Amino acid sequence: MIRVLIADDHPIVRTGLRAVFEGEPSIEIVGEVGRAEDAVARVDAQADGIDVVTMDLRFGAGMSGAEATRAVRRREDAPAVLVLTNYDNDVDILEAIEAGASGYLLKDAPPADLISAVQDAAAGRTVLAPVVANRLQERRRRPEVALTPREHDVLALVAEGLTNDQISQRLYLSKPTVKSHLAHIYGKLDVSSRTAALARARDLGLLR
């Protein structure tokens, strides 16, 4: 029996996933949570012997799905993490994979594909949606600068003209964290100022 924890901040999505998985005899839903932090806490408790966590990427304020994935996968006896999301951009894909996700599927995948993905993840196999696999192949052929979703958020607010203090308040981040994100952005873009970062990001098409 594959024991699955569902982590998604939308109740309707959780209900839909539960309905899909409960129709498969080899899968048992051991719980569902609406916050990334709660998913990490449930795995840390290990009360349910979780085998696979289905993880959304965006949870609003607080820990992101990628951050939760990284925290979950740090455990020696970590369950597999299968990312189920609506987002298929390069930044999200890379951050999830680098965080240790065993798979990356879009939420509009057919039920049979979702079930197979959980089974593959539980068996230690990697599963990627076709569009995601294609993106990764293209990226290997054409390396690009990759910012994390949070770095994108910070950069977008810089583009709006917000100060570090204002970014801190808008994103509910500490000021040192904002500065750290900016330092990482500067390093990835090989620049040393906000103005240069914005110019370089626009050249690379990183600003949405």
Side-chain angles (χ1 to χ4, degrees):
M1 185 68 71
I2 302 170
R3 294 155 298 188
V4 174
L5 172 67
I6 299 172
D8 196 290
D9 62 343
H10 291 93
I12 293 177
V13 173
R14 296 199 303 270
T15 299
L17 290 175
R18 178 179 282 275
V20 168
F21 295 142
E22 285 184 337
E24 169 55 46
S26 67
I27 296 176
E28 175 189 359
I29 304 300
V30 296
E32 55 183 68
V33 295
R35 300 193 316 147
E37 291 89 343
D38 293 337
V40 176
R42 287 291 294 270
V43 170
D44 285 343
Q46 281 289 302
D48 303 308
I50 300 164
D51 298 308
V52 177
V53 179
T54 65
M55 184 75 74
D56 193 9
L57 282 183
R58 307 285 177 86
F59 286 85
M63 183 180 282
S64 71
E67 290 169 336
T69 297
R70 188 172 292 106
V72 166
R73 294 296 297 165
R74 285 198 192 106
R75 293 182 56 94
E76 185 175 344
D77 54 348
V81 176
L82 176 63
V83 169
L84 297 180
T85 182
N86 290 320
Y87 305 97
D88 64 350
N89 63 73
D90 290 1
V91 173
D92 289 322
I93 294 168
L94 284 174
E95 187 174 24
I97 299 302
E98 290 173 357
S102 302
Y104 194 114
L105 257 64
L106 302 183
K107 290 179 181 176
D108 61 0
D113 288 355
L114 294 174
I115 291 171
S116 294
V118 167
Q119 293 170 333
D120 285 341
R125 295 186 289 270
T126 300
V127 55
L128 299 173
V131 65
V132 172
N134 290 338
R135 290 284 184 83
L136 291 177
Q137 288 178 352
E138 290 173 5
R139 190 171 188 85
R140 280 194 289 269
R141 290 194 295 266
R142 181 174 49 85
E144 297 175 351
V145 173
L147 302 182
T148 67
R150 186 59 82 187
E151 288 168 353
H152 266 291
D153 293 340
V154 170
L155 186 62
L157 294 181
V158 169
E160 290 181 19
L162 273 63
T163 65
N164 286 7
D165 287 351
Q166 291 170 325
I167 293 172
S168 173
Q169 294 171 6
R170 180 78 67 87
L171 297 179
Y172 303 100
L173 299 173
S174 68
K175 293 176 186 177
T177 298
V178 172
K179 290 181 179 179
S180 176
H181 283 311
L182 283 172
H184 290 152
I185 292 169
Y186 291 173
K188 290 179 178 181
L189 298 178
D190 193 25
V191 298
S192 58
S193 71
R194 296 164 85 93
T195 301
L198 293 176
R200 176 69 171 152
R202 290 192 176 99
D203 287 343
L204 295 173
L206 295 175
L207 281 174
R208 301 166 183 171

